[in-house]
Amino acid sequence: MRWNHFFELVDKVGPVSNSIAIKCNPLSNGWMKPNSGGCSKGNLGPSGGGGIVRHEKGEMIIAYAMPLGIVTNNTAETLALKAGIEWCIDQNVKKLEIENDSLMLIQWLTNTTSIP
Protein backbone atom coordinates (compact mmCIF):
# COMPACT_ATOMS: atom_id res chain seq x y z
CA MET A 1 0.00 0.00 0.00
CA ARG A 2 1.32 3.42 -0.87
CA TRP A 3 1.24 6.19 1.73
CA ASN A 4 -1.17 8.33 -0.29
CA HIS A 5 -3.65 5.42 -0.30
CA PHE A 6 -3.24 5.06 3.45
CA PHE A 7 -4.05 8.73 4.03
CA GLU A 8 -7.06 8.49 1.71
CA LEU A 9 -8.37 5.64 3.88
CA VAL A 10 -7.78 7.63 7.05
CA ASP A 11 -9.66 10.60 5.57
CA LYS A 12 -12.67 8.35 4.90
CA VAL A 13 -12.86 7.39 8.56
CA GLY A 14 -13.53 10.96 9.60
CA PRO A 15 -12.26 13.15 12.42
CA VAL A 16 -11.25 11.76 15.79
CA SER A 17 -14.00 12.41 18.31
CA ASN A 18 -11.71 12.39 21.33
CA SER A 19 -8.08 11.83 22.18
CA ILE A 20 -5.84 11.54 25.20
CA ALA A 21 -2.29 12.68 25.67
CA ILE A 22 0.18 9.96 26.54
CA LYS A 23 3.17 11.01 28.59
CA CYS A 24 6.25 9.02 29.45
CA ASN A 25 7.35 9.79 32.98
CA PRO A 26 11.09 10.01 33.54
CA LEU A 27 12.72 6.92 35.05
CA SER A 28 15.36 6.67 37.74
CA ASN A 29 18.98 6.96 36.68
CA GLY A 30 20.18 4.02 34.58
CA TRP A 31 16.71 2.61 33.85
CA MET A 32 15.19 1.95 30.42
CA LYS A 33 11.61 1.21 29.39
CA PRO A 34 10.64 -0.99 26.45
CA ASN A 35 7.08 -0.32 25.22
CA SER A 36 5.86 -2.88 22.73
CA GLY A 37 2.83 -4.26 20.97
CA GLY A 38 1.91 -7.16 18.76
CA CYS A 39 -1.08 -8.01 16.61
CA SER A 40 -2.49 -10.83 14.57
CA LYS A 41 -4.94 -10.79 11.67
CA GLY A 42 -7.17 -13.53 12.97
CA ASN A 43 -6.20 -15.39 16.08
CA LEU A 44 -3.86 -17.55 14.35
CA GLY A 45 -2.85 -15.51 11.42
CA PRO A 46 -0.28 -13.20 9.85
CA SER A 47 1.24 -11.23 12.69
CA GLY A 48 3.62 -8.42 13.43
CA GLY A 49 5.05 -6.58 16.36
CA GLY A 50 7.30 -3.77 17.36
CA GLY A 51 8.01 -1.18 19.95
CA ILE A 52 10.26 1.51 21.26
CA VAL A 53 12.79 1.73 24.05
CA ARG A 54 13.10 4.93 26.06
CA HIS A 55 15.95 5.95 28.31
CA GLU A 56 15.74 7.44 31.79
CA LYS A 57 14.69 10.91 30.55
CA GLY A 58 11.83 9.45 28.52
CA GLU A 59 13.41 10.00 25.11
CA MET A 60 13.15 7.26 22.51
CA ILE A 61 16.49 5.65 21.69
CA ILE A 62 15.34 2.90 19.35
CA ALA A 63 12.21 1.85 17.48
CA TYR A 64 11.72 -1.58 15.95
CA ALA A 65 9.12 -3.50 13.96
CA MET A 66 9.07 -6.99 12.54
CA PRO A 67 6.88 -9.58 10.86
CA LEU A 68 6.25 -12.55 13.12
CA GLY A 69 4.75 -15.12 10.78
CA ILE A 70 1.55 -17.02 11.51
CA VAL A 71 1.01 -16.82 15.29
CA THR A 72 -1.65 -15.85 17.84
CA ASN A 73 -2.13 -12.32 19.15
CA ASN A 74 -0.69 -13.29 22.54
CA THR A 75 2.38 -14.79 20.89
CA ALA A 76 2.83 -11.60 18.85
CA GLU A 77 2.60 -9.46 22.01
CA THR A 78 5.13 -11.69 23.76
CA LEU A 79 7.61 -11.77 20.86
CA ALA A 80 7.45 -7.99 20.44
CA LEU A 81 8.30 -7.45 24.12
CA LYS A 82 10.99 -10.14 23.95
CA ALA A 83 12.69 -8.28 21.09
CA GLY A 84 12.80 -5.07 23.14
CA ILE A 85 14.16 -6.84 26.20
CA GLU A 86 16.80 -8.65 24.12
CA TRP A 87 17.95 -5.33 22.63
CA CYS A 88 18.30 -3.91 26.15
CA ILE A 89 20.30 -6.96 27.26
CA ASP A 90 22.57 -6.59 24.21
CA GLN A 91 23.19 -2.98 25.32
CA ASN A 92 24.12 -4.25 28.81
CA VAL A 93 21.10 -2.60 30.41
CA LYS A 94 20.47 -4.05 33.87
CA LYS A 95 17.41 -2.04 34.96
CA LEU A 96 14.17 -2.29 32.98
CA GLU A 97 10.67 -1.03 33.64
CA ILE A 98 8.24 -3.09 31.57
CA GLU A 99 5.09 -1.37 30.33
CA ASN A 100 2.62 -3.10 28.04
CA ASP A 101 -1.04 -2.83 27.06
CA SER A 102 -1.59 -6.60 27.03
CA LEU A 103 -3.19 -7.58 30.34
CA MET A 104 -2.61 -11.26 29.58
CA LEU A 105 1.13 -10.71 29.03
CA ILE A 106 1.47 -8.68 32.23
CA GLN A 107 -0.37 -11.39 34.16
CA TRP A 108 1.99 -14.01 32.72
CA LEU A 109 5.02 -11.96 33.70
CA THR A 110 3.77 -11.36 37.22
CA ASN A 111 2.64 -14.99 37.70
CA THR A 112 -0.98 -13.97 38.39
CA THR A 113 -2.32 -16.36 35.74
CA SER A 114 -1.00 -19.50 34.12
CA ILE A 115 0.46 -19.60 30.64
CA PRO A 116 -1.59 -21.87 28.34
Side-chain angles (χ1 to χ4, degrees):
M1 174 184 290
R2 296 187 179 277
W3 281 109
N4 58 339
H5 296 301
F6 173 75
F7 291 118
E8 288 171 9
L9 289 173
V10 170
D11 286 341
K12 289 179 183 177
V13 173
V16 174
S17 60
N18 61 5
S19 61
I20 58 170
I22 297 174
K23 179 181 176 186
C24 182
N25 296 320
L27 302 168
S28 298
N29 192 26
W31 285 75
M32 288 196 185
K33 180 189 287 189
N35 296 91
S36 62
C39 62
S40 178
K41 184 178 180 182
N43 202 11
L44 187 60
S47 304
I52 62 171
V53 177
R54 295 180 185 272
H55 66 43
E56 61 204 29
K57 294 182 182 171
E59 296 174 6
M60 182 182 70
I61 55 175
I62 187 173
Y64 59 95
M66 66 208 141
L68 297 171
I70 307 297
V71 298
T72 66
N73 62 320
N74 288 328
T75 300
E77 290 277 9
T78 304
L79 292 173
L81 177 59
K82 180 178 179 264
I85 292 171
E86 287 174 337
W87 183 87
C88 290
I89 290 169
D90 289 345
Q91 304 306 307
N92 205 30
V93 174
K94 304 291 186 202
K95 301 174 185 177
L96 292 180
E97 180 178 307
I98 305 297
E99 188 172 74
N100 195 279
D101 65 354
S102 170
L103 178 60
M104 183 67 67
L105 180 56
I106 296 302
Q107 288 176 336
W108 289 343
L109 292 172
T110 58
N111 292 317
T112 55
T113 191
S114 60
I115 300 172

